[in-house]
Amino acid sequence: MRLIQGRWLLVDAIHADKEIDSVEVDYRRNRTELFFENGKVDQYMFDMQDTVSWSYMLKGYKLALAKDTIVTRVFLINKLTTDSLILSDSISRLKYIRLDEQE
């Protein structure tokens, strides 16, 4: 659980259904960050200046996001290293790089 803590920057996203992404996103310009801390994760989208927060649970290689104790999305953790995080589910594959130093 400790390895996932900190700030992550979305650098690539692939969606199985093109209808989900109706807008082309330049990940070098339009930043989306995840910040994991103490059982909570915040997603900040710079282009929309919006933050969405969830509680999260890790079990094996799965990351579950919940709102008000109701699980809203579950990702498979394809890769988690000190500098890289790749998450996937049935519709998306999301690649992040670490923004902060891992202690």
Side-chain angles (χ1 to χ4, degrees):
M1 183 176 206
R2 186 164 192 211
L3 190 56
I4 204 166
Q5 299 290 306
R7 289 177 55 215
W8 298 88
L9 174 66
L10 181 65
V11 292
D12 194 19
I14 299 169
H15 299 293
D17 183 356
K18 294 293 182 185
E19 297 297 315
I20 292 171
D21 263 351
S22 58
V23 177
E24 282 291 317
V25 176
D26 179 355
Y27 292 103
R28 292 166 296 189
R29 232 185 72 218
N30 299 321
R31 294 171 45 130
T32 298
E33 288 184 12
L34 293 181
F35 181 63
F36 289 88
E37 184 176 48
N38 300 324
K40 181 181 166 197
V41 60
D42 294 325
Q43 176 182 302
Y44 182 69
M45 295 158 284
F46 285 85
D47 55 336
M48 293 187 235
Q49 296 185 357
D50 187 30
T51 301
V52 180
S53 298
W54 298 274
S55 58
Y56 74 90
M57 295 143 290
L58 293 171
K59 185 172 183 179
Y61 293 98
K62 292 188 178 178
L63 168 68
L65 303 179
K67 285 265 194 198
D68 301 322
T69 70
I70 299 170
V71 174
T72 58
R73 200 156 179 196
V74 177
F75 289 98
L76 179 63
I77 300 171
N78 300 104
K79 181 179 182 181
L80 176 57
T81 64
T82 57
D83 61 354
S84 182
L85 171 63
I86 299 176
L87 304 173
S88 65
D89 64 7
S90 61
I91 59 171
S92 302
R93 183 175 176 274
L94 308 169
K95 181 178 180 182
Y96 297 87
I97 59 171
R98 184 176 292 282
L99 288 177
D100 53 4
E101 295 279 328
Q102 183 67 19
E103 297 175 3

